[in-house]
Amino acid sequence: MNDTKTALVTGANKGIGFAIAQGLGAIGFTVAVGARDDARREEAVERLRGTGVDAFGVALDVTSDDSVAAAAATIEQTAGRLDVLVNNAGISGRFDGGAQDPTTLDLDVVRTVLDTNVFGVVRVTNAMLPLLSRAASPRIVNMSTNMGSLTLQTGPIMGAYAPSKSMLNSITAQYARRFADTDIIVNAACPGYVATDFTGFNAPRTPEQGAAIAIRLATLPDDGPRGGFFDDEGVVPW
């Protein structure tokens, strides 16, 4: 096992996830590119390597126990440990035909969104804990959004997506409480309104700007904040 730190970024083949992978790679991390689609994953790895980043692909479907277990085995074999986990993979869920209007909410859409945005984070986090426990300063960053803030209540009404992020924030706090007396630091990040396929590329912030807060939380000092929700400006209210 060498001194190079390794970071796993889920959903890293595009958008904010790719920008996080690129940013961590630029400061010396070996980056495990977690993604479901084989072709897109390998393309992302090649793009990262083309910019000088040490990267390798990890087949990862966060909704599959078997896939997550296999991903952990791949990282163990390749790197021996994990220093940073960025739980970035997420979906909005479909919202046509009132599927996310609370008055006509499609519960199948809710289940699908929760399976990725919440259960997927738990699956991946728990599978990676043995590898994280081998690191000197392990960090976990959960990519959330201020749409999940019960205080701010920003964005359009989305009865599946927004509550999934509220629950993600809550589970982040629970992990942080559980790890209070350990070296593992867990926080949630809001990237802001970023131009990606998620927003139809109609937003003011670049993926790189959205990635900045995740990179900061992934590289916190040992006395850094725990169990918080942050964006570029500081603390985001729950």
Side-chain angles (χ1 to χ4, degrees):
M1 195 183 306
N2 59 34
D3 293 332
T4 303
K5 290 187 173 183
T6 300
L8 169 62
V9 183
T10 69
N13 60 296
K14 62 181 179 179
I16 297 170
F18 182 84
I20 294 169
Q22 195 164 37
L24 288 172
I27 57 175
F29 280 83
T30 294
V31 181
V33 176
R36 286 179 301 182
D37 186 285
D38 293 342
R40 290 178 179 175
R41 182 177 63 250
E42 291 312 309
E43 180 189 359
V45 168
E46 290 307 313
R47 284 175 61 200
L48 289 168
R49 289 176 177 168
T51 63
V53 172
D54 182 18
F56 64 96
V58 178
L60 180 57
D61 176 357
V62 303
T63 67
S64 163
D65 292 345
D66 290 344
S67 175
V68 170
T74 297
I75 293 167
E76 179 169 31
Q77 186 175 19
T78 306
R81 71 167 193 267
L82 190 62
D83 298 89
V84 167
L85 168 61
V86 182
N87 285 304
N88 168 75
I91 60 172
S92 63
R94 65 177 187 84
F95 40 86
D96 57 296
Q100 295 206 38
D101 181 327
T103 65
T104 52
L105 191 59
D106 186 327
L107 295 183
D108 285 336
V109 172
V110 177
R111 292 185 189 98
T112 299
V113 171
L114 288 176
D115 199 20
T116 292
N117 294 4
V118 181
F119 309 154
V121 169
V122 174
R123 274 189 200 96
V124 172
T125 300
N126 290 353
M128 300 301 162
L129 283 176
L131 295 172
L132 286 161
S133 68
R134 298 176 190 172
S137 301
R139 304 289 180 259
I140 300 172
V141 182
N142 294 333
M143 296 305 290
S144 186
T145 169
N146 56 22
M147 286 181 67
S149 167
L150 299 178
T151 301
L152 298 178
Q153 298 189 22
T154 61
I157 294 171
M158 294 183 74
Y161 176 72
S164 79
K165 293 300 188 177
S166 302
M167 188 172 178
L168 176 62
N169 290 348
S170 184
I171 200 76
T172 299
Q174 297 301 311
Y175 272 116
R177 292 176 65 194
R178 174 64 177 79
F179 297 138
D181 298 322
T182 75
D183 295 327
I184 301 176
I185 296 180
V186 189
N187 289 288
C190 172
Y193 195 39
V194 175
T196 64
D197 58 0
F198 189 90
T199 58
F201 298 97
N202 182 27
R205 289 168 63 81
T206 65
E208 290 72 24
Q209 288 173 317
I213 183 60
I215 294 165
R216 186 165 74 82
L217 293 175
T219 55
L220 284 174
D222 290 342
D223 61 351
R226 293 168 175 258
F229 185 20
F230 302 95
D231 64 10
D232 287 346
E233 304 300 316
V235 174
V236 179
W238 298 115

